[in-house]
Amino acid sequence: MSIREAVLDDGRVVVVKPGHAPGATAAEAAGLRWLAAADAVPVPVVHSHDDEQLVLDRVPAGRPTAAAAERFGRGLARLHAAGAPAFGAAPPDGPAEAWIGRAPMANVPGEDWASWYASHRVLPYVRLAVDAGTFGPAEAAVFERACARIPSPAEPPSRLHGDLWNGNVLWDGEEAWLIDPAAHGGHRETDLAMLHLFGCPHLGRVLAAYQEETPLAAGWAERIGLHQLFPLLVHTVLFGRSYAGQALAAARSLR
């Protein structure tokens, strides 16, 4: 079953999205509601979900504009500032065993970001890639050494979208909308690193507006590679060697 549109009795058009695995629709629905509760960036309203499918509002189609990008940057800063109970915290009523795209993602709370990120956002995907034969032992060791060099930020957990690549940001001409979250508590620079990795219209304006709303800590640009480890490893697990080189380069960039 593929994603389709349907018309409700009152004439509204909704999107019906099938679940791809146990807990996938529950995780996405909980994530969307948690992001919506921050009242910072628009997200589609969730009408219903069960083990088979998720029903949510359709986002109107439009084009990205500079003004919308600036609103998105400020809204994203407010979303992150809404916070989370812990690094790795799942959204309220969201499952601990969640998903990022078609890859599994465990929402296991931790107090120290560096050790949590290594244990739950880097090494599990390295192990999956090794098991699949994508990485050899010497390459796995590169990531293990990188994990020993991860700095721990002096920032509280942020409320993350968690899978913030360009395809999950929809533009209606006035606003940027967020869809398909892998929401959890984490470091806000991780969301921004994903925008850098996969591109975003008017990214410079998004970042400038974000910085005006909530300035980033000094040296954040030098940490982009660190935060890109997570999405690059997920893509390596899902798509194989085509992302392995980038993931290894990001790991080697940690000094």
Side-chain angles (χ1 to χ4, degrees), residues 15-55:
V15 172
V16 181
K17 182 178 178 181
H20 65 83
T25 55
E28 184 171 345
L32 286 168
R33 288 168 175 151
W34 194 43
L35 300 184
D39 194 24
V41 182
V43 300
V45 172
V46 176
H47 292 280
S48 65
H49 71 88
D50 56 27
D51 289 340
E52 301 297 325
Q53 64 183 24
L54 173 70
V55 180

Side-chain angles (χ1 to χ4, degrees), residues 44-189:
V45 172
V46 176
H47 292 280
S48 65
H49 71 88
D50 56 27
D51 289 340
E52 301 297 325
Q53 64 183 24
L54 173 70
V55 180
L56 61 162
D57 276 346
R58 180 185 64 174
V59 176
R63 296 178 61 84
T65 66
E70 292 173 0
R71 285 191 288 274
F72 176 44
R74 290 189 291 270
L76 187 59
R78 293 194 299 272
L79 173 64
H80 291 162
F87 297 113
D93 300 320
E97 298 301 321
W99 299 85
I100 176 166
R102 298 288 178 117
M105 185 187 79
N107 285 323
V108 179
E111 295 183 2
D112 174 71
W113 181 80
S115 59
W116 169 83
Y117 186 69
S119 297
H120 301 290
R121 292 297 181 268
V122 177
L123 294 178
Y125 301 98
V126 174
R127 287 191 290 269
L128 287 171
V130 169
D131 291 345
T134 306
F135 288 140
E139 291 172 319
V142 172
F143 296 100
E144 292 167 0
R145 289 192 294 271
C147 284
R149 297 192 291 269
I150 295 176
S152 198
E155 291 194 5
S158 293
R159 187 170 307 190
L160 299 191
H161 176 280
D163 192 11
L164 197 58
W165 72 287
N166 185 44
N168 288 341
V169 182
L170 302 184
W171 305 81
D172 69 2
E174 297 293 330
E175 302 284 351
W177 293 64
L178 299 180
I179 63 168
D180 296 354
H184 61 279
H187 194 308
R188 59 192 179 130
E189 291 176 11

